[in-house]
Amino acid sequence: MVVIAGSRHQSVSAPVPPGLDPDRVPQVLRVVLVRHAGAAPPGAGVAADQPLTADGMAQADRLRWLNLFDLATGFYAGPEARMVGTLAPGATSRGREVVPMAALAETAAGGWLPDDRFAEVIGRYFAHPDIVPAPGWEAGSVAAHRFGAQLEALRASHPPHVNRDRAVPGVVVVSTGGRVAIAWLAFCLGWSGADAKRAWRRLRNPDIAVIDLPKGEAARLVIPFGTLET
Amino acid sequence: MAENCSPLQSQPDAKGEFFRLVAEQGHYGGRTFPTPTRQGLYVCTPGGTTLGALNTRDAGPLLEMLQTALQRWDHLAVHATSEAPGGYDRFRPDRYPHGGLVLRAIARDLPREVDTRVDDWRKIAWNLDYAWFTREEASSLVPDPARPGATSEASPELVRRLGRFHLRDFVRGEPAPWPADALREASLASVVTGVSADRTTVSLHGRIRLVAEFRWVRQGDGEAHASPCSFDATLSGEAEWDRLTGRFVRFDLAASGPRAGTQQYNNRPDDLGPAPMAVVFELAGDTPRDRTPPHTFLHAQYFGEPA
């Protein structure tokens, strides 16, 4: 049972409410996709997994006040400290924990690159998602696939919320890095490489998008990155 | 701010987009079943971050939601946009009847000799709506010349709109407009009862009788439903017309009588009647709240245009 500010929603697995045929309930998973809050920048000799900065922690704390998180029955993140830290205040304040998952990690990269070299590699990453853009990197399509497969696996644990006469999607909040987030969105929504790169360049820390995943149907982008005040 | 969410759920302009942004962060975000409605109460920042959302008739949960939203505002407002709103290229024309007759409509049940209603909100329910009439339609209720005893019949368009779109049983919810052939009897007349230097007072009386069977399929389980509905309303009231401005300065009209039946969204399945109901009309102000459009004004025939 999920309590939403006075309205009680039952899991679809609970006894069927009168007047509602469970076979008609659309099986939709809503993903609140969060690009992580501010973390220490990468650099030569700096470990890739940097925690949130003080500003980043303040940003993460603000996220917890979003109504958008109220319907979530799960908070998931890549295993990196900045991903988990971004959702921790929002999850904890709702009596939940952030579950780190390797499949939700940022796209693997083979170590730090200087700016001009990084720009070249990231361009290839989005323009040619089926190839490995640089040694040690993960191809965009590979990253998008393992990320999407993990979200699909979450569907069973987060069925639609159903009460006596209505149903709303199951909701999960997922924090990850910008590269994999955009690669996955580009795959789901059919973006071109140029569109994906443009979307990645516009990302903020943190940033939020909302995507609905109807089972067996195309994904729907409900709220794009860059829309909500974060 | 009060808005009719139905058109905003798909309205292709900035207003619709803003509503959808707010609603998708709320209690019905992503809802498609059994309907895609986003009705409810929302609190948001000017930039569209939702701070609280709920669909309830109960004061307790609403108060709780408002307090939560206020707490959230304290934490998020510092980050909220301070930009002035941009221009608004409205999708639909402004149909507010400037210079015409704008009425506030209030519907409620009347006392019953034998009351079998459930003893909860349904027993004390009442609801608000607005009714819009043009200046020309309004003036049809004023006899010319204005002398005591002179009479006038309201324009057919005024009576038609009043009956089909405003004598609905909206005490508990949202009924559809009556179909055109539901109007079995429709009259509203005025009699001059007083004349002063600038003003004409008229009494109003008439009868509007509506009968129709409403049918719907419950989307939750595909079950078909039908209900014979009726409202036999006796109209009675008084109004005062300012001859200098050509506007009513007072307008009080009651439509009361037995109603029967239920519709899909008016919460009457447990109270099919016949039972007494009244819809009363009074002049609305012109504050933004009082410019709320009538609930059914987007219906193709509200203003009498062809379907």
Side-chain angles (χ1 to χ4, degrees):
Chain A
M1 179 81 80
V2 181
V3 179
I4 308 155
S7 174
R8 290 177 184 277
H9 291 247
Q10 276 184 304
S11 162
V12 77
S13 57
V16 179
L20 195 138
D21 180 349
D23 292 339
R24 290 171 175 249
V25 174
Q27 298 302 305
V28 181
L29 177 67
R30 169 163 285 200
V31 178
V32 179
L33 187 56
V34 182
R35 199 242 187 142
H36 64 83
V46 176
D49 186 4
Q50 291 293 306
L52 298 179
T53 60
D55 280 351
M57 286 191 275
Q59 291 165 343
D61 192 61
R62 276 202 298 274
L63 294 183
R64 80 185 170 105
W65 301 103
L66 295 175
N67 194 81
L68 188 56
F69 287 2
D70 284 3
L71 276 172
T73 51
F75 289 77
Y76 300 92
E80 299 93 331
R82 61 189 186 282
M83 317 303 187
V84 176
T86 296
L87 296 190
T92 305
S93 65
R94 290 169 175 80
R96 299 187 184 276
E97 292 183 358
V98 183
V99 180
M101 292 182 154
L104 300 177
E106 174 61 298
T107 303
W112 181 81
L113 295 172
D115 286 352
D116 54 345
R117 175 83 176 118
F118 182 81
E120 183 189 324
V121 173
I122 200 74
R124 272 202 301 276
Y125 172 81
F126 288 120
H128 307 288
D130 291 330
I131 65 167
V132 173
W137 276 63
E138 191 178 17
S141 61
V142 173
H145 182 264
R146 52 102 172 148
F147 189 84
Q150 181 60 71
L151 295 181
E152 195 58 39
L154 293 176
R155 187 189 292 276
S157 307
H158 301 281
H161 306 305
V162 179
N163 75 2
R164 64 182 171 83
D165 62 355
R166 68 200 63 152
V168 295
V171 181
V172 292
V173 183
V174 174
S175 174
T176 190
R179 296 191 300 268
V180 69
I182 296 298
W184 175 67
L185 280 179
F187 173 76
C188 291
L189 303 171
W191 289 351
S192 68
D195 288 343
K197 187 177 174 186
R198 197 174 302 117
W200 176 78
R201 283 196 178 284
R202 287 177 181 162
L203 284 176
R204 306 165 302 184
N205 292 102
D207 211 339
I208 297 177
V210 176
I211 305 97
D212 282 352
L213 303 176
K215 193 169 189 175
E217 295 177 31
R220 294 191 291 259
L221 180 60
V222 179
I223 299 177
F225 279 124
T227 306
L228 291 173
E229 303 157 322
T230 55
Chain B
M1 177 189 299
E3 269 292 350
N4 184 349
C5 71
S6 301
L8 293 181
Q9 286 162 203
S10 58
Q11 191 165 300
D13 63 11
K15 184 176 174 181
E17 286 173 12
F18 185 81
F19 174 76
R20 292 192 288 279
L21 171 62
V22 172
E24 286 307 319
Q25 301 165 64
H27 52 287
Y28 287 161
R31 171 176 162 159
T32 56
F33 181 83
T35 69
T37 185
R38 298 292 187 272
Q39 66 179 246
L41 301 145
Y42 297 90
V43 182
C44 67
T45 68
T49 298
T50 303
L51 305 173
L54 182 64
N55 188 16
T56 184
R57 296 184 188 89
D58 297 332
L62 176 58
L63 181 61
E64 185 185 339
M65 184 275 274
L66 291 173
Q67 287 167 337
T68 299
L70 186 59
Q71 189 184 19
R72 289 173 172 176
W73 169 260
D74 289 340
H75 290 272
L76 292 173
V78 65
H79 209 62
T81 183
S82 58
E83 292 175 19
Y88 173 40
D89 185 11
R90 64 164 63 234
F91 175 67
R92 293 187 170 86
D94 178 13
R95 301 296 298 263
Y96 183 79
H98 298 276
L101 179 61
V102 178
L103 300 176
R104 184 185 298 115
I106 303 155
R108 55 160 291 183
D109 290 344
L110 294 177
R112 307 170 181 202
E113 288 183 12
V114 179
D115 196 339
T116 57
R117 290 173 298 176
V118 180
D119 196 13
D120 61 11
W121 69 272
R122 286 170 283 194
K123 213 164 185 171
I124 55 171
W126 58 277
N127 209 346
L128 279 176
D129 195 9
Y130 288 88
W132 287 357
F133 301 97
T134 64
R135 176 190 287 253
E136 186 183 12
E137 289 162 354
S139 65
S140 72
L141 280 168
V142 186
D144 183 21
R147 58 173 181 268
T151 63
S152 180
E153 289 287 334
S155 77
E157 177 54 31
L158 186 154
V159 181
R160 183 196 68 85
R161 190 176 311 138
L162 184 68
R164 283 190 62 197
F165 295 94
H166 296 294
L167 298 189
R168 301 171 301 130
D169 175 11
F170 63 101
V171 173
R172 297 181 179 182
E174 299 179 80
W178 293 94
D181 61 3
L183 272 173
R184 302 299 169 86
E185 192 172 337
S187 67
L188 177 59
S190 61
V191 180
V192 175
T193 56
V195 179
S196 68
D198 302 332
R199 296 188 176 174
T200 304
T201 303
V202 295
S203 68
L204 305 168
H205 54 89
R207 184 182 185 197
I208 295 183
R209 191 165 64 87
L210 298 136
V211 180
E213 181 175 77
F214 282 88
R215 294 173 176 272
W216 66 95
V217 174
R218 193 165 61 189
Q219 287 151 296
D221 57 7
E223 201 172 284
H225 293 259
S227 177
C229 295
S230 60
F231 184 32
D232 187 352
T234 300
L235 277 57
S236 178
E238 190 173 75
E240 199 171 346
W241 176 261
D242 186 324
R243 293 195 301 278
L244 293 179
T245 60
R247 300 183 68 170
F248 281 107
V249 292
R250 183 166 63 85
F251 195 99
D252 299 301
L253 177 68
S256 60
R259 56 138 281 273
T262 184
Q263 290 193 36
Q264 186 170 15
Y265 297 120
N266 74 345
N267 291 300
R268 284 286 196 192
D270 60 338
D271 186 26
L272 297 175
M277 177 184 80
V279 184
V280 298
F281 299 87
E282 61 185 13
L283 273 191
D286 63 356
T287 62
R289 178 188 64 188
D290 283 327
R291 289 177 177 235
T292 303
H295 183 251
T296 55
F297 96 117
L298 290 176
H299 189 286
Q301 291 164 21
Y302 185 84
F303 289 106
E305 288 137 8

